[in-house]
Every structure is written in C-alpha cells, then in structure tokens.
Amino acid sequence: MIKTASGFDKEFKKLPKDLKELAGKKLKLLLDNPSHPSLRAKRVQGYHEEPPIMEMSVTMAIRVTFQRYSDFFYLRHIGTHEIFRSP
C-alpha cells in the first residue's frame, strides 16, 4: 500500500503526463519488487530518521523520496535533485 505526503501530491500534479505514467509504473514496481535494480533504491545520506528516508529513480533526472513502513510506503517528494534539500 502507498500513502503520500501533501508535498508529493502537489509535485506529482505538476509533472508532464508522460512522467506521471512512468512514475506510476515505477511505483507499481516498488510495490511488487522494492529491490528491483531499475529503481536504484538507496538510503538518502545525512538523514537519520526511522524508518530511513530512501530514494528511487523514475528517470535519471527524476527521483522519489520515501519511507518504508511495515505495511505501507510513505511517498515524501518527487522531482529533480532539488528534492534532496528537504527529502
């Protein structure tokens, strides 16, 4: 299951249609196989929250930050590397 922060929802709405579709496919893959290599999921450096803040790739330029809880993924932000200022 996926839950989203209000910031994620606002950022997602601003994406072009093709990126929204691709992000949807990547998020489905995250649910199905969180360790799939094409997601390039890894921990965001410098933040020590629990659960850890993670990032995954939608494209080489677009990232999603999220946290994985026991029964859901919490999506924090989506966008360029600028999202790492406050992941």
Side-chain angles (χ1 to χ4, degrees):
M1 179 167 65
I2 288 180
K3 296 182 181 184
T4 59
S6 61
F8 179 90
D9 295 334
K10 290 175 187 174
E11 294 158 353
F12 188 85
K13 286 179 185 177
K14 293 178 183 178
L15 294 175
K17 183 181 177 184
D18 60 329
L19 280 178
K20 286 180 186 175
E21 291 173 0
L22 184 56
K25 290 177 185 176
K26 292 285 188 153
L27 292 171
K28 182 179 181 333
L29 184 57
L30 178 68
L31 288 172
D32 294 342
N33 183 2
S35 60
H36 193 280
S38 72
L39 297 175
R40 295 193 322 269
K42 63 181 179 180
R43 187 179 192 142
V44 175
Q45 299 280 329
Y47 292 89
H48 304 287
E49 296 188 29
E50 285 300 324
I53 299 173
M54 306 290 291
E55 69 169 284
M56 63 170 253
S57 297
V58 174
T59 67
M60 292 303 286
I62 302 296
R63 303 285 193 271
V64 171
T65 57
F66 65 94
Q67 289 172 286
R68 184 178 186 175
Y69 291 85
S70 59
D71 56 345
F72 67 93
F73 289 92
Y74 181 67
L75 306 181
R76 299 170 59 99
H77 292 283
I78 185 169
T80 62
H81 284 90
E82 293 294 315
I83 65 173
F84 295 114
R85 291 185 181 186
S86 63

